[in-house]
Amino acid sequence: MRACRKFINRVSSPDSRPSCFVFNFSFEIYNFLSPRAKGLLAIAASAFCFAVMSVLAKVATDPVAAAALPAPGAAALAAHPVTAAEAVFYRSLLGWLGLLAAARTLRAPPARESRRLLALRGILGGLAISCYFYAIAHTSVSKAALIGYAYPVFAVAFARLFLGERLGAAGGMLMAASLAG
């Protein structure tokens, strides 16, 4: 109860109100959350952003989906759809700009160790998103997402096949349940 009173007093004090009270209020609520709640909120925001990215990739690469939009400029987008490779380029460019802005804001130093692993992660991530956008362009978003989110099943199967890792009884039952749907 004391924490709630402290929070309300801090948010409602005239000193804490910048020009945009709602924006500050949302950050005050975020700072009031527990680390677990912040993590869950970050997971939900991430899932939402990936869903929006998938839909936007479909609209950008499929003229029929673009024409169905009731938005201004949809006809122009339908007349000139982009390829999956162009969609990957624009997505990567926007992501890089966002990461650059975040790194500069946080004053994060550049990665000095494991540059080879970082480069390999970039190459494999680019290949994965290219395949995902290609699947979105040639099938429905739901089917592409289903294939994309099945990667844990393939990771376990490939780890057993190529690395010789053992799969216990519980892991086997979870694999069977995930394949059953």
Side-chain angles (χ1 to χ4, degrees):
M1 191 67 158
R2 187 181 329 150
C4 288
R5 255 187 256 125
K6 183 179 173 185
F7 170 71
I8 290 170
N9 289 338
R10 186 174 55 187
V11 172
S12 61
S13 71
D15 299 337
S16 68
R17 291 186 187 161
S19 59
C20 182
F21 175 70
V22 175
F23 189 69
N24 185 48
F25 187 74
S26 64
F27 274 110
E28 288 291 331
I29 290 174
Y30 181 78
N31 290 333
F32 189 67
L33 295 174
S34 69
R36 177 177 163 82
K38 286 180 184 179
L40 291 173
L41 186 63
I43 290 170
S46 174
F48 176 76
C49 289
F50 273 102
V52 169
M53 176 196 68
S54 299
V55 171
L56 290 176
K58 181 64 174 180
V59 168
T61 57
D62 187 5
V64 176
L69 283 179
L77 185 60
H80 303 288
V82 299
T83 64
E86 289 171 319
V88 168
F89 172 76
Y90 293 127
R91 187 255 190 207
S92 300
L93 179 66
L94 288 174
W96 181 77
L97 290 173
L99 286 174
L100 183 65
R104 290 200 185 261
T105 302
L106 298 172
R107 294 185 180 98
R112 302 235 184 261
E113 62 276 342
S114 306
R115 287 187 183 215
R116 286 185 182 158
L117 288 176
L118 189 60
L120 181 64
R121 166 61 179 103
I123 291 168
L124 293 177
L127 181 63
I129 201 71
S130 297
C131 292
Y132 185 61
F133 277 20
Y134 184 80
I136 287 174
H138 295 285
T139 187
S140 67
V141 174
S142 60
K143 288 179 185 175
L146 178 66
I147 294 167
Y149 290 127
Y151 75 89
V153 175
F154 294 111
V156 170
F158 289 149
R160 172 80 175 122
L161 188 69
F162 295 117
L163 303 175
E165 292 189 11
R166 300 185 141 244
L167 185 64
M173 289 187 336
L174 290 172
M175 285 280 292
S178 66
L179 288 173

